[in-house]
Amino acid sequence: MMKTKRFSQCVALAWTAAVLVAGLLTAAAQEPSPVAAGALELGFRNPPDDARPSTYYLLLNGYMNRDHVGRELAELAAKGVRGLCIFDMGGRGLESALPPAGPAFLSDAWLDQLAVILEKADELGMAAQLAVCSSWDMGASWVEPGDASMALYHNSIEIDGPAEIDVLLPLPEIPAKAPRDAGGRPVVLHEIAALAFPRTGSIEGSEPVIPQRTDIVDVSARVDAEGRLVWNAPPGRWTVLRFVCANTGERLKVPSPNSDGLATDHFSAEVTRRYLEHLIERLEARFGDLRRTALKHLYLPSYEVVGRVWTPDLLEQFRQYRGYDMTLFLPALAGYVIEDQETTDDFLYDFRKTMGDLLVDAYYRTASETARQAGLGVEAEAGGPGPPVHQVPVDALKALAAIDEMRGEFWPWRLTNSPLWVVKETASAAHVYGRRFVHMEAFTGFHHWTAGPYDLKFSADRAFGEGMNHVVWHTSSHQPPEAGVPGWVYGAGTHLTPNLVWWPMAGAFLDYLARCSHLLQQGLFVADVCYYSGDQGYNFVPPKHVDPSLGFGHDYDVINAEALLTRMGVSDGRLVLPDGMRYEVLILPDREDMDPDVLEKLAELVEAGATIVGPRPVRANGLGDREARDRKVRRIADAVWGACDGVTVFENRYGEGKVVWGRLLRAILDARGIGPDFQFSAEAEDAELDFIHRRTSDADIYFVRNARER
């Protein structure tokens, strides 16, 4: 029988999710059965601590009134806050409206302040996290230039041959804020490569072309530590490109006055480990075994480092990840086309893939491994903020999977609101990697003191509909009496403090968020389809939307290559994950290229009975061993797709399963007896609803929201 649920016909066993959580439908919901009215209803009436909101707790300018902290935290706890993400943060705005400067982050005096917070949090049953730096990105006053953020810089000269060349290559322009010695020379300066090539290349568009890679001469060994090139240049006119690695000079974004410092090199596992070991040693020296404190996680803020980031050993790292030497392709990073656009694009794919892998391994995974040795977890906004805010060089799903707890964020108000949401991305990561919690930095914005629950509920409901199931409120700043009313503020965030006019009523809204979170933490997410995110070097998941080919009423996840290769299998014709997630079909991106290992895995899934939808890949991506990898792609694709071309032939059976190309997704699901998971009828023509569905062993939980702006 075709699976189709009109909401009025669906037995929503956790009926409070439909009636009280969404506040949309009353008579349509049926009474809960005695079985379902047990744990779910009890949890709804009194949500457990792990469903209740957490909040950022900011010590602005590092200042704290120790006599007031206990009363402040007690008020937050009384309203239902059960978690603190403790941040040392600089204030913004008029100096006269800011707190005085407190002690430096992680100093003895600062740790004494932290002790007051952790002791009170433990007394109140509040779990604590600690941001690893003052503001963001990771960095501190003790970070030396050799451990600081770096980038790749280049410059060029023209020389004529034949000639004995003895010339000082010009130093590329290094940011003025990069640390320098007394003579004005950058403190950190690594010679990466010097490459010469004849100026005989044609021009393709506005980009110079190097017709043959064999035309490039690596003269790096002929450049001394001062940048002087000594070389017997062959006949012709030559361009010489000098590449160096130097500090960007990037510092903490908004540190407290006594805590400024350089941001770390996020692409060095050694630097990440050294930084966090120092932080943990300071904490353990003050608190002893951290497992006995309220501190449960370290928090890594969102990655927002800028520039052509680099790390001194990147050439060797690239060789290990991709299997070939990238030195002769460095001109592509300076805007040159090497051989042709396809070759250049394939190299740039490999480069982006390597940067993403390195950020995951050297930063997120290394941080998690280091923290676990001290009994701490790591929570991070590892997949964001992402485009269009910032081009994080990473596969977002893979980065989120490398940490213990995943966090995204959402902003209630922006003209470009939808592109900023990274809720669906974080939710998909949790679903495909088997994690329970989808934490969300909530209500980030700049509407100081003007927003209340009525203004915030719509954005919260949207986030719940995309997959959020735990709120981390941004922000609660420490507000001692000397702050006055309404108090000191950080530049961003929707304030949650006892100074709010609506504070006496705040508990009801926080209870609402907790009840929604609790129900949406139960069971497994229900989705009919899973989209493969593709083989882009930098990879992100867009906000939740309705695929026109699928239509309304079906939900979905997005999976990346790592999870597909290591976690996806087939059972009874459905795609399955080890934690119980099931999908009817897997959708491929509309691309000609595919990683051969991914395609080989897809062939195994289809042979075992899966249905996969999408175009036939015709070539591999990336440059390493390209011809052999292209042949492998064509061989597997010919076997799996057969005569299926998406124009005259739309399906091909392979083993127990099949591939489909050129048909509407809804028609494919209909043929499998899978109708929409959610439908509704309404008298108003402009009705617009959104939903999310989770299922336990004995209950179906639907959260339904009004998706139309007020």
Side-chain angles (χ1 to χ4, degrees):
M1 179 178 178
M2 180 178 291
K3 183 191 79 173
T4 177
K5 292 191 179 77
R6 299 181 63 86
F7 189 80
S8 60
Q9 298 169 343
C10 174
V11 180
L13 295 176
W15 62 278
T16 46
V19 180
L20 299 178
V21 174
L24 294 170
L25 304 174
T26 54
Q30 300 180 23
E31 287 296 320
S33 71
V35 175
L40 287 176
E41 183 174 343
L42 289 174
F44 177 84
R45 294 183 181 279
N46 184 22
D49 287 351
D50 57 11
R52 292 192 175 274
S54 298
T55 187
Y56 287 2
Y57 188 62
L58 271 55
L59 300 182
L60 291 176
N61 281 359
Y63 174 83
M64 192 180 89
N65 180 330
R66 300 187 189 185
D67 294 332
H68 184 71
V69 164
R71 293 193 297 274
E72 189 169 59
L73 295 184
E75 288 212 50
L76 288 169
K79 291 294 188 289
V81 174
R82 288 295 183 271
L84 302 175
C85 186
I86 304 165
F87 249 107
D88 184 275
M89 186 71 70
R92 285 173 165 171
L94 295 174
E95 187 174 346
S96 60
L98 295 177
F105 176 72
L106 224 59
S107 65
D108 289 345
W110 194 93
L111 290 171
D112 288 343
Q113 293 185 159
L114 178 62
V116 175
I117 298 173
L118 293 182
E119 288 169 8
K120 189 62 178 180
D122 190 46
E123 176 187 324
L124 295 168
M126 303 172 83
Q129 299 177 337
L130 175 64
V132 298
C133 53
S134 179
S135 74
W136 75 102
D137 295 274
M138 191 167 80
S141 58
W142 64 81
V143 174
E144 298 293 334
D147 282 356
S149 177
M150 303 185 198
L152 183 69
Y153 303 98
H154 72 275
N155 209 337
S156 66
I157 62 170
E158 307 295 327
I159 61 175
D160 292 316
E164 291 289 338
I165 302 299
D166 187 341
V167 62
L168 186 65
L169 298 177
L171 183 67
E173 184 177 352
I174 308 297
K177 61 183 180 179
R180 283 174 161 75
D181 60 22
R185 183 178 175 83
V187 173
V188 173
L189 189 68
H190 299 277
E191 296 289 341
I192 300 302
L195 304 175
F197 48 88
R199 289 198 62 199
T200 57
S202 60
I203 300 296
E204 183 174 299
S206 60
E207 298 173 324
V209 178
I210 304 172
Q212 298 293 328
R213 195 157 56 95
T214 53
D215 293 338
I216 302 174
V217 180
D218 185 352
V219 295
S220 304
R222 302 180 183 277
V223 178
D224 66 17
E226 301 301 316
R228 180 171 297 279
L229 171 65
V230 178
W231 178 46
N232 185 11
R237 192 162 198 190
W238 295 81
T239 296
V240 179
L241 278 173
R242 180 190 185 188
F243 293 90
V244 303
C245 171
N247 288 134
T248 64
E250 180 153 354
R251 307 182 75 82
L252 293 167
K253 297 296 193 296
V254 194
S256 57
N258 293 315
S259 305
D260 194 13
L262 294 168
T264 62
D265 177 0
H266 288 52
F267 293 82
S268 167
E270 182 181 353
V271 169
T272 300
R273 187 177 297 108
R274 183 158 48 240
Y275 182 97
L276 290 180
E277 284 177 346
H278 173 74
L279 181 142
I280 290 168
E281 286 171 4
R282 293 288 296 156
L283 293 173
E284 289 179 332
R286 177 62 177 80
F287 300 106
D289 187 350
L290 299 176
R291 298 172 181 86
R292 299 183 178 181
T293 71
L295 185 62
K296 306 305 179 187
H297 292 88
L298 299 179
Y299 178 64
L300 306 182
S302 58
Y303 176 97
E304 297 180 32
V305 180
V306 298
R308 173 72 79 179
V309 286
W310 198 264
T311 195
D313 67 345
L314 186 55
L315 291 181
E316 179 56 32
Q317 294 280 5
F318 184 93
R319 187 194 304 272
Q320 292 181 17
Y321 279 106
R322 302 277 86 86
Y324 68 94
D325 186 357
M326 70 177 283
T327 302
L328 298 186
F329 289 94
L330 286 174
L333 302 180
Y336 286 82
V337 172
I338 300 178
E339 297 188 9
D340 52 51
Q341 192 62 56
E342 182 178 342
T343 299
T344 304
D345 288 345
D346 281 344
F347 162 71
L348 292 175
Y349 165 87
D350 284 342
F351 175 74
R352 296 185 184 110
K353 197 79 169 176
T354 301
M355 296 303 288
D357 289 343
L358 191 53
L359 183 60
V360 170
D361 292 340
Y363 184 50
Y364 293 113
R365 187 164 286 123
T366 298
S368 296
E369 292 169 353
T370 306
R372 287 184 200 127
Q373 293 173 4
L376 299 174
V378 164
E379 187 166 323
E381 205 175 314
V389 176
H390 183 66
Q391 179 63 72
V392 184
V394 80
D395 175 335
L397 298 180
K398 186 175 182 180
L400 287 162
I403 56 176
D404 300 289
E405 296 292 336
M406 306 173 174
R407 187 183 299 179
E409 71 171 285
F410 67 90
W411 296 59
W413 305 279
R414 269 193 188 248
L415 292 178
T416 55
N417 190 33
S418 290
L420 287 169
W421 288 59
V422 288
V423 184
K424 187 65 175 178
E425 177 176 273
T426 313
S428 284
H431 301 158
V432 302
Y433 281 99
R435 307 292 180 82
R436 180 185 177 193
F437 295 106
V438 182
H439 306 280
M440 208 56 52
E441 176 188 300
F443 312 124
T444 311
F446 302 108
H447 289 217
H448 298 299
W449 306 111
T450 62
Y454 174 83
D455 309 288
L456 302 173
K457 181 179 180 296
F458 182 85
S459 63
D461 287 350
R462 176 175 175 177
F464 283 129
E466 291 206 22
M468 172 179 77
N469 63 22
H470 184 246
V471 169
V472 184
W473 193 297
H474 185 333
T475 288
S476 298
S477 300
H478 175 49
Q479 302 290 359
E482 56 266 36
V485 177
W488 297 322
V489 299
Y490 169 62
T494 299
H495 310 301
L496 184 70
T497 79
N499 290 347
L500 292 168
V501 173
W502 52 272
W503 182 252
M505 299 173 284
F509 186 51
L510 296 181
D511 283 348
Y512 170 81
L513 299 175
R515 286 173 174 140
C516 296
S517 296
H518 172 67
L519 292 175
L520 293 174
Q521 289 171 7
Q522 307 310 306
L524 293 172
F525 173 62
V526 177
D528 291 324
V529 301
C530 187
Y531 292 87
Y532 172 48
S533 61
D535 301 310
Q536 301 78 249
Y538 303 154
N539 220 349
F540 305 91
V541 176
K544 182 180 179 180
H545 60 281
V546 175
D547 185 336
S549 176
L550 187 59
F552 179 78
H554 299 277
D555 213 338
Y556 65 93
D557 269 329
V558 179
I559 195 169
N560 63 341
E562 181 186 62
L564 191 154
L565 286 168
T566 62
R567 292 178 56 80
M568 185 163 269
V570 178
S571 176
D572 297 327
R574 292 189 176 94
L575 295 136
V576 296
L577 297 172
D579 313 284
M581 287 296 303
R582 303 169 70 85
Y583 311 96
E584 292 292 331
V585 294
L586 179 69
I587 316 301
L588 305 182
D590 188 15
R591 294 174 62 97
E592 291 186 344
D593 61 323
M594 183 169 286
D595 180 273
D597 292 339
V598 170
L599 183 57
E600 189 170 52
K601 174 71 173 188
L602 294 177
E604 294 173 3
L605 295 174
V606 175
E607 190 171 26
T611 296
I612 291 178
V613 182
R616 176 203 306 259
V618 297
R619 62 183 181 86
N621 41 43
L623 196 59
D625 201 13
R626 184 165 62 175
E627 292 185 1
R629 295 170 75 247
D630 281 349
R631 287 195 298 271
K632 182 176 181 180
V633 166
R634 290 192 294 269
R635 174 178 56 79
I636 297 174
D638 286 347
V640 176
W641 269 260
C644 179
D645 59 7
V647 178
T648 59
V649 179
F650 302 102
E651 295 185 6
N652 186 64
R653 296 207 65 85
Y654 180 76
E656 298 296 316
K658 64 180 178 180
V659 293
V660 184
W661 180 15
R663 296 195 188 279
L664 292 176
L665 293 178
R666 174 152 296 201
I668 296 170
L669 291 181
D670 286 346
R672 294 175 65 88
I674 305 299
D677 187 31
F678 177 83
Q679 292 178 296
F680 68 96
S681 58
E683 296 179 1
E685 294 181 359
D686 62 349
E688 185 178 344
L689 301 183
D690 184 28
F691 78 101
I692 189 168
H693 179 193
R694 295 184 72 89
R695 179 177 292 141
T696 70
S697 60
D698 58 0
D700 284 285
I701 303 167
Y702 282 82
F703 177 92
V704 185
R705 74 179 185 97
N706 184 352
R708 185 168 293 279
E709 293 275 6
R710 289 187 297 268

